[in-house]
Amino acid sequence: MSIDAATVKQVATLARLRVTPEEVDLYVGQLSRILTLMEALNRLPTDAVEPMSHAVAMAIAEREDVVVHGNQRAALLACAPETEQGHFRVPKMIE
Amino acid sequence: MSQKGLSTQSGAEGSARARYETVIGLEVHAQMLTRSKIFCGCSTRFGAEANTQICPICAAFPGVLPVLNREAVQMAIKTGLAIDGQVRLLSEFARKNYFYPDLPAGYQISQYELPIVEQGALWIDSPERGEGVRIGITRIHMEVDAGKSLHEGIYGASWVDLNRTGTPLMEIVSEPDLRSSGEAGEYLKKLRAIVRYLGVCDGNMEEGSFRCDANVSVRLHGDSVFGTRCELKNLNSIRNVMRAIDYEVERQIELLEEGGKVVQETRLWNADLNSSRPMRGKEDAHDYRYFPEPDLPPLRLTAERVAALREAMPELPDAKAARFGQQYQLSRYDAGVLTSSRELADYFEAVAAHAASLGHGNAKMAANWVTGELAARLNRDGVEIGQSPLQPWQLGKLVALIQQGTLSGKLAKEVFEIMCQEGGDPQQIAEQRGMRQVSDEGAIDVAIARVLASYPDDVAQYRAGKGKVMGFLVGQVMKATQGKANPALVNQRLLAKLAE
């Protein structure tokens, strides 16, 4: 299975990645090879196999419903490029 | 404001409209009433100062790991059981990828292919289709809420408050089973009553803890495929949901009748203008590039855990309404009104129990006072039953006093007013103010004798067969007793006297 340049560009746009024309060509080749490999799986009988979403068989951890964090605003806002009156300041959004 | 080009219903348009069927599916986002967020230990309290309830996890700093809040899972299971859904013993979290400044991670942790609940339903009384219409619920999944963006009054920028980020949400998705705005309203009322009964969501649409998006399409009656749908957003009350749907149905039918096509889009409702406008084209689902959340292993539940929650379920609105109908001989309507909230139902039962403890078990009368006089009073003052000016025992005793004949309905209303304003025991109020209904036969007979002596002509007319005069005579006796006489007794004694 192969993937075309338009799809690569679309995925890059959705992921907010800037790609050069040379990179598009590179990724078309690489992604097509990955998909070809995946296609091999389609030829195997997997009806009786439970779909795997995680490589490591682990149980999910659950925590009790307790508030443990206090106000950390100053420290967290200090990491932001721009802040204003206790808020993160970002470029104007439409709507 | 104007209807934005939508003309009012004329004959021809009316018949065009009748040829179309409305199809509605609702997506409800219900904030769960946990103390802390779904994946971190920040508070979920509403109304705190901006960004004071955030931490590196919900603010999506690199390298942090989410840890699932057990209570959020419990609440989602309870809701699933309450809507007769199938609780999946294996469910999974997934990343829904999109970029927006109030979503600091660049993805929302949600559930996609394996939601915690599937295939539920609830039953509504439809204004058009009658009682007990089944509305399917496709799924309930857990997800995180986003933060809030502020735009107004900020020059050249937007502000972001992440306090809400990470608040646990249940997204409850209905099947496209609703056929009118009225049914949508009934569905939302029922669903809201259920989550409130369970204590899993406060159901406050104005504050945004119970939000609704509506998918609306129309098709000609008999068509087997659905029309193109539009998604309506920004519906912050049940009334607005209904108005927005009505507007959208009109808009789509008008469009189709003019030979146009409905374009699939998201539309933003403006309650002030009573109209909607397109927001953005609906992205295709794969644009979100869902994939299993690598930071959270699958959620596996034991059957025992689900069974324990099933055991602990409170009595839900439908079951309670059915019980009220049987136990108290109430109409379906009265039972429905009284069970619309758990607090109101409990209040009514306390009133009825108090009246019964005084030997007067007419629960219908208790129901009438709660849904009539008291509800009007609460409505007027804009308060909920929890802030009722009357304790259940006060109203219960008042009902008992009416049933035992001590107070007439008219006097009871006066006592009710006094209790609302000054508090107190209805019996003492009545006694102190001489409001006792006169049920003393001797006193009534004296009044009757005086009236009969004063109106000999009317008495003669009655005896000559003019039964109508009876009403006048009863009125005169009531007047003679300043309205305190027991009307039933007056009637009875007067008939006896006139027959002598």
Side-chain angles (χ1 to χ4, degrees):
Chain A
M1 185 179 174
S2 66
I3 195 168
D4 62 13
T7 308
V8 170
K9 283 183 197 161
Q10 164 73 355
V11 171
T13 303
L14 289 172
R16 302 292 192 274
L17 295 173
R18 192 181 292 127
V19 289
T20 64
E22 295 74 31
E23 285 171 321
V24 170
D25 290 342
L26 179 68
Y27 296 143
V28 164
Q30 290 180 344
L31 289 170
S32 294
R33 284 203 297 283
I34 291 171
L35 289 173
T36 304
L37 181 67
M38 288 295 145
E39 247 179 1
L41 284 176
N42 288 342
R43 293 197 293 272
L44 298 173
T46 53
D47 290 353
V49 181
E50 193 178 302
M52 185 187 77
S53 59
H54 293 74
V56 185
M58 273 175 68
I60 200 165
E62 288 178 71
R63 40 170 270 275
E64 292 305 312
D65 180 25
V66 180
V67 175
V68 295
H69 298 311
N71 180 1
Q72 311 174 60
R73 179 163 82 179
L76 293 169
L77 285 184
C79 300
E82 277 191 271
T83 64
E84 198 168 12
Q85 293 184 39
H87 293 82
F88 296 94
R89 185 185 155 98
V90 299
K92 190 93 183 162
M93 291 173 253
I94 318 295
E95 288 182 333
Chain B
M1 290 299 285
S2 79
Q3 289 283 307
K4 206 183 167 189
L6 297 181
S7 43
T8 50
Q9 188 161 338
S10 71
E13 282 174 8
S15 64
R17 207 154 293 143
R19 291 191 286 117
Y20 287 91
E21 179 179 49
T22 303
V23 176
I24 304 160
L26 297 179
E27 289 171 19
V28 169
H29 286 89
Q31 280 184 349
M32 292 191 248
L33 281 174
T34 55
R35 284 185 288 272
S36 64
K37 295 184 179 179
I38 186 167
F39 295 123
C40 65
C42 287
S43 170
T44 54
R45 193 167 56 88
F46 181 80
E49 217 183 307
N51 292 309
T52 55
Q53 294 176 173
I54 65 174
C55 74
I57 298 170
C58 54
F61 278 50
V64 297
L65 281 176
V67 187
L68 181 59
N69 184 336
R70 179 180 163 80
E71 193 56 30
V73 178
Q74 300 291 86
M75 289 181 172
I77 298 171
K78 282 188 212 174
T79 310
L81 294 173
I83 56 138
D84 263 342
Q86 286 180 15
V87 177
R88 294 191 57 97
L89 297 185
L90 169 67
S91 71
E92 245 172 41
F93 289 96
R95 287 190 183 178
K96 178 181 181 177
N97 299 279
Y98 66 94
F99 291 96
Y100 208 68
D102 59 22
L103 186 76
Y107 57 85
Q108 179 190 32
I109 302 182
S110 181
Q111 295 191 296
Y112 187 53
E113 286 181 332
L114 304 176
I116 188 159
V117 175
E118 291 177 315
Q119 293 174 24
L122 55 75
W123 280 259
I124 61 164
D125 286 353
S126 160
E128 297 85 16
R129 292 190 283 169
E131 295 174 354
V133 175
R134 181 185 192 274
I135 307 299
I137 291 177
T138 317
R139 58 189 274 151
I140 300 177
H141 65 253
M142 295 179 278
E143 62 186 24
V144 297
D145 207 345
K148 268 185 183 155
S149 310
L150 296 97
H151 316 286
E152 268 172 48
I154 302 160
Y155 180 71
S158 293
W159 287 355
V160 176
D161 172 6
L162 297 181
N163 278 349
R164 201 178 67 178
T165 312
T167 299
L169 291 179
M170 280 184 287
E171 181 171 334
I172 304 161
V173 184
S174 89
E175 292 285 316
D177 285 349
L178 298 156
R179 291 291 175 270
S180 69
S181 59
E183 289 188 2
E186 290 304 310
Y187 171 86
L188 288 173
K189 280 184 210 159
K190 180 59 73 72
L191 185 59
R192 189 171 61 174
I194 289 172
V195 294
R196 283 177 170 167
Y197 265 62
L198 294 171
V200 300
C201 173
D202 66 20
N204 188 329
M205 290 186 85
E206 285 73 22
E207 285 181 3
S209 49
F210 188 86
R211 311 195 283 270
C212 174
D213 300 336
N215 287 300
V216 180
S217 65
V218 299
R219 63 176 169 185
L220 290 171
H221 279 287
D223 273 2
S224 56
V225 292
F226 292 139
T228 305
R229 68 170 190 266
C230 288
E231 183 176 7
L232 308 176
K233 283 184 178 289
N234 196 34
L235 313 171
N236 61 359
S237 69
I238 291 181
R239 203 179 128 204
N240 275 332
V241 171
M242 294 171 65
R243 283 168 62 201
I245 290 171
D246 286 337
Y247 174 89
E248 183 61 18
V249 169
E250 296 277 318
R251 191 187 72 84
Q252 292 186 11
I253 291 177
E254 199 153 295
L255 205 57
L256 294 171
E257 285 294 301
E258 286 166 358
K261 268 193 175 140
V262 176
V263 181
Q264 182 168 332
E265 63 189 357
T266 300
R267 300 179 67 89
L268 207 60
W269 175 248
N270 185 323
D272 295 329
L273 301 178
N274 202 29
S275 71
S276 66
R277 63 184 167 81
M279 195 165 90
R280 55 162 191 249
K282 176 87 180 165
E283 295 117 303
D284 290 330
H286 66 256
D287 273 6
Y288 289 126
R289 292 152 297 136
Y290 283 96
F291 60 86
E293 166 58 80
D295 289 342
L296 292 164
L299 172 61
R300 290 180 194 276
L301 305 174
T302 61
E304 291 72 32
R305 179 171 173 182
V306 177
L309 288 168
R310 194 190 294 277
E311 283 295 305
M313 287 293 268
E315 186 181 35
L316 292 168
D318 284 353
K320 205 183 270 290
R323 176 169 68 79
F324 278 18
Q326 286 203 322
Q327 185 176 338
Y328 301 114
Q329 309 294 312
L330 299 181
S331 69
R332 185 181 175 92
Y333 178 80
D334 281 344
V337 170
L338 288 169
T339 55
S340 61
S341 91
R342 200 168 168 173
E343 292 74 19
L344 185 64
D346 289 348
Y347 187 96
F348 158 73
E349 290 212 278
V351 171
H354 194 82
S357 76
L358 298 171
H360 298 278
N362 184 345
K364 174 69 186 158
M365 187 183 277
N368 287 345
W369 277 84
V370 172
T371 60
E373 215 67 22
L374 182 65
R377 177 101 198 172
L378 298 177
N379 203 23
R380 192 199 73 185
D381 297 345
V383 297
E384 298 292 320
I385 190 74
Q387 288 94 53
S388 165
L390 296 189
Q391 296 298 311
W393 72 265
Q394 290 175 293
L395 198 51
K397 194 162 183 181
L398 186 71
V399 167
L401 289 169
I402 302 166
Q403 287 183 55
Q404 72 194 35
T406 307
L407 288 177
S408 65
K410 184 170 170 291
L411 285 174
K413 281 183 188 175
E414 287 175 34
V415 173
F416 177 89
E417 270 303 309
I418 294 165
M419 279 198 297
C420 284
Q421 279 162 29
E422 302 166 18
D425 180 319
Q427 190 164 9
Q428 282 173 9
I429 290 170
E431 280 167 5
Q432 281 163 6
R433 308 192 186 212
M435 295 165 83
R436 222 177 150 73
Q437 174 169 262
V438 177
S439 295
D440 167 9
E441 284 190 17
I444 287 175
D445 283 350
V446 168
I448 288 174
R450 208 179 305 144
V451 168
L452 295 186
S454 306
Y455 300 97
D457 292 351
D458 297 273
V459 173
Q461 279 180 26
Y462 178 83
R463 289 188 169 135
K466 274 192 84 175
K468 275 205 298 190
V469 182
M470 181 69 182
F472 169 77
L473 293 173
V474 169
Q476 291 306 313
V477 176
M478 293 304 291
K479 202 169 160 189
T481 59
Q482 289 99 48
K484 290 180 198 163
N486 179 337
L489 198 56
V490 169
N491 240 324
Q492 183 199 325
R493 297 301 301 161
L494 194 56
L495 282 172
K497 287 284 170 199
L498 289 168
E500 279 172 9

